[in-house]
Short mmCIF file of all heavy atoms in Angstrom, two decimals:
data_model
loop_
_atom_site.label_atom_id
_atom_site.label_comp_id
_atom_site.label_asym_id
_atom_site.label_seq_id
_atom_site.Cartn_x
_atom_site.Cartn_y
_atom_site.Cartn_z
N GLU A 573 -8.67 -7.52 -0.74
CA GLU A 573 -9.40 -8.64 -0.14
C GLU A 573 -9.84 -8.28 1.28
O GLU A 573 -10.97 -8.56 1.69
CB GLU A 573 -8.54 -9.90 -0.09
CG GLU A 573 -8.40 -10.62 -1.40
CD GLU A 573 -7.64 -11.92 -1.26
OE1 GLU A 573 -6.59 -11.94 -0.58
OE2 GLU A 573 -8.10 -12.92 -1.83
N ARG A 574 -8.95 -7.65 2.01
CA ARG A 574 -9.26 -7.24 3.39
C ARG A 574 -10.37 -6.19 3.41
O ARG A 574 -11.26 -6.24 4.27
CB ARG A 574 -7.98 -6.70 4.02
CG ARG A 574 -8.00 -6.59 5.49
CD ARG A 574 -6.60 -6.29 5.99
NE ARG A 574 -6.60 -6.14 7.40
CZ ARG A 574 -5.51 -6.04 8.12
NH1 ARG A 574 -4.34 -6.08 7.55
NH2 ARG A 574 -5.59 -5.90 9.42
N TYR A 575 -10.32 -5.25 2.47
CA TYR A 575 -11.38 -4.25 2.37
C TYR A 575 -12.73 -4.92 2.14
O TYR A 575 -13.72 -4.58 2.79
CB TYR A 575 -11.08 -3.25 1.24
CG TYR A 575 -12.29 -2.41 0.92
CD1 TYR A 575 -12.61 -1.31 1.71
CD2 TYR A 575 -13.13 -2.74 -0.13
CE1 TYR A 575 -13.74 -0.56 1.45
CE2 TYR A 575 -14.26 -2.00 -0.39
CZ TYR A 575 -14.56 -0.91 0.40
OH TYR A 575 -15.69 -0.18 0.16
N LEU A 576 -12.79 -5.86 1.22
CA LEU A 576 -14.05 -6.54 0.93
C LEU A 576 -14.55 -7.33 2.13
O LEU A 576 -15.76 -7.47 2.31
CB LEU A 576 -13.88 -7.46 -0.28
CG LEU A 576 -13.66 -6.76 -1.62
CD1 LEU A 576 -13.32 -7.78 -2.70
CD2 LEU A 576 -14.86 -5.92 -2.02
N LYS A 577 -13.65 -7.83 2.94
CA LYS A 577 -14.01 -8.62 4.11
C LYS A 577 -14.53 -7.76 5.25
O LYS A 577 -15.56 -8.04 5.85
CB LYS A 577 -12.80 -9.43 4.58
CG LYS A 577 -13.06 -10.30 5.77
CD LYS A 577 -11.82 -11.07 6.17
CE LYS A 577 -12.08 -11.88 7.43
NZ LYS A 577 -10.86 -12.53 7.91
N ASP A 578 -13.79 -6.66 5.58
CA ASP A 578 -14.15 -5.89 6.77
C ASP A 578 -14.19 -4.37 6.59
O ASP A 578 -14.39 -3.64 7.55
CB ASP A 578 -13.23 -6.25 7.94
CG ASP A 578 -11.77 -5.90 7.68
OD1 ASP A 578 -11.48 -5.09 6.79
OD2 ASP A 578 -10.91 -6.45 8.41
N GLY A 579 -13.99 -3.90 5.38
CA GLY A 579 -14.07 -2.46 5.12
C GLY A 579 -12.83 -1.67 5.48
O GLY A 579 -12.81 -0.44 5.35
N SER A 580 -11.77 -2.34 5.93
CA SER A 580 -10.58 -1.61 6.34
C SER A 580 -9.82 -1.08 5.13
O SER A 580 -9.85 -1.65 4.05
CB SER A 580 -9.67 -2.50 7.20
OG SER A 580 -9.25 -3.63 6.48
N LYS A 581 -9.16 0.04 5.34
CA LYS A 581 -8.47 0.74 4.26
C LYS A 581 -6.95 0.57 4.37
O LYS A 581 -6.41 0.22 5.41
CB LYS A 581 -8.79 2.24 4.32
CG LYS A 581 -10.25 2.61 4.51
CD LYS A 581 -11.09 2.35 3.31
CE LYS A 581 -12.43 3.03 3.33
NZ LYS A 581 -13.44 2.47 4.18
N LEU A 582 -6.29 0.88 3.26
CA LEU A 582 -4.84 0.84 3.17
C LEU A 582 -4.30 2.26 3.16
O LEU A 582 -4.88 3.14 2.53
CB LEU A 582 -4.44 0.13 1.87
CG LEU A 582 -2.96 0.07 1.51
CD1 LEU A 582 -2.20 -0.80 2.51
CD2 LEU A 582 -2.78 -0.48 0.10
N GLY A 583 -3.21 2.49 3.85
CA GLY A 583 -2.49 3.76 3.77
C GLY A 583 -1.28 3.57 2.88
O GLY A 583 -0.43 2.73 3.18
N ILE A 584 -1.21 4.28 1.78
CA ILE A 584 -0.09 4.16 0.85
C ILE A 584 0.81 5.36 1.05
O ILE A 584 0.40 6.51 0.85
CB ILE A 584 -0.58 4.10 -0.61
CG1 ILE A 584 -1.47 2.88 -0.80
CG2 ILE A 584 0.61 4.09 -1.58
CD1 ILE A 584 -2.20 2.84 -2.12
N VAL A 585 2.04 5.11 1.46
CA VAL A 585 3.00 6.18 1.74
C VAL A 585 4.05 6.20 0.64
O VAL A 585 4.59 5.17 0.26
CB VAL A 585 3.70 5.96 3.11
CG1 VAL A 585 4.76 7.03 3.36
CG2 VAL A 585 2.66 5.96 4.23
N ARG A 586 4.30 7.39 0.13
CA ARG A 586 5.39 7.62 -0.82
C ARG A 586 6.21 8.80 -0.30
O ARG A 586 5.81 9.50 0.62
CB ARG A 586 4.84 7.94 -2.21
CG ARG A 586 4.09 6.81 -2.89
CD ARG A 586 4.98 5.64 -3.28
NE ARG A 586 6.00 5.97 -4.24
CZ ARG A 586 5.98 5.64 -5.51
NH1 ARG A 586 4.99 4.93 -6.00
NH2 ARG A 586 6.96 5.98 -6.32
N ARG A 587 7.34 9.03 -0.89
CA ARG A 587 8.27 10.04 -0.40
C ARG A 587 7.80 11.47 -0.70
O ARG A 587 7.82 12.34 0.15
CB ARG A 587 9.65 9.80 -1.05
CG ARG A 587 10.76 10.63 -0.52
CD ARG A 587 12.11 10.08 -0.94
NE ARG A 587 12.46 8.96 -0.06
CZ ARG A 587 12.44 7.67 -0.42
NH1 ARG A 587 12.13 7.32 -1.64
NH2 ARG A 587 12.74 6.74 0.46
N MET A 588 7.39 11.74 -1.93
CA MET A 588 7.10 13.11 -2.37
C MET A 588 5.66 13.25 -2.85
O MET A 588 5.06 12.30 -3.33
CB MET A 588 8.04 13.48 -3.52
CG MET A 588 9.53 13.29 -3.25
SD MET A 588 10.16 14.40 -2.01
CE MET A 588 10.05 15.95 -2.87
N ASP A 589 5.14 14.50 -2.78
CA ASP A 589 3.82 14.79 -3.35
C ASP A 589 3.77 14.42 -4.82
O ASP A 589 2.75 13.95 -5.32
CB ASP A 589 3.49 16.29 -3.21
CG ASP A 589 3.17 16.69 -1.80
OD1 ASP A 589 2.71 15.85 -1.02
OD2 ASP A 589 3.38 17.88 -1.47
N GLU A 590 4.88 14.66 -5.53
CA GLU A 590 4.94 14.41 -6.96
C GLU A 590 4.69 12.94 -7.30
O GLU A 590 4.36 12.61 -8.43
CB GLU A 590 6.30 14.85 -7.52
CG GLU A 590 6.50 16.34 -7.52
CD GLU A 590 6.92 16.91 -6.16
OE1 GLU A 590 7.21 16.13 -5.21
OE2 GLU A 590 6.92 18.14 -6.03
N ASP A 591 4.88 12.07 -6.32
CA ASP A 591 4.63 10.65 -6.56
C ASP A 591 3.16 10.34 -6.81
O ASP A 591 2.82 9.25 -7.27
CB ASP A 591 5.12 9.81 -5.37
CG ASP A 591 6.63 9.81 -5.24
OD1 ASP A 591 7.32 9.92 -6.27
OD2 ASP A 591 7.12 9.71 -4.11
N PHE A 592 2.28 11.29 -6.52
CA PHE A 592 0.85 11.10 -6.74
C PHE A 592 0.33 11.93 -7.92
O PHE A 592 -0.87 12.05 -8.10
CB PHE A 592 0.07 11.46 -5.47
CG PHE A 592 0.35 10.50 -4.34
CD1 PHE A 592 1.26 10.81 -3.35
CD2 PHE A 592 -0.30 9.28 -4.29
CE1 PHE A 592 1.54 9.92 -2.33
CE2 PHE A 592 -0.03 8.38 -3.26
CZ PHE A 592 0.88 8.71 -2.28
N ILE A 593 1.23 12.50 -8.70
CA ILE A 593 0.85 13.37 -9.81
C ILE A 593 1.34 12.75 -11.12
O ILE A 593 2.46 12.25 -11.19
CB ILE A 593 1.45 14.78 -9.64
CG1 ILE A 593 0.96 15.39 -8.33
CG2 ILE A 593 1.10 15.67 -10.82
CD1 ILE A 593 1.70 16.65 -7.94
N GLY A 594 0.53 12.78 -12.16
CA GLY A 594 0.96 12.30 -13.47
C GLY A 594 0.45 10.91 -13.77
O GLY A 594 0.06 10.15 -12.90
N ALA A 595 0.51 10.57 -15.05
CA ALA A 595 -0.05 9.31 -15.53
C ALA A 595 0.70 8.09 -15.00
O ALA A 595 0.11 7.04 -14.80
CB ALA A 595 -0.06 9.31 -17.05
#
Side-chain angles (χ1 to χ4, degrees):
E573 283 185 315
R574 196 169 178 171
Y575 168 80
L576 292 172
K577 181 180 177 185
D578 63 18
S580 61
K581 314 288 195 285
L582 175 66
I584 299 170
V585 176
R586 295 291 298 254
R587 188 165 280 107
M588 306 293 291
D589 287 334
E590 291 80 9
D591 292 329
F592 293 98
I593 300 169

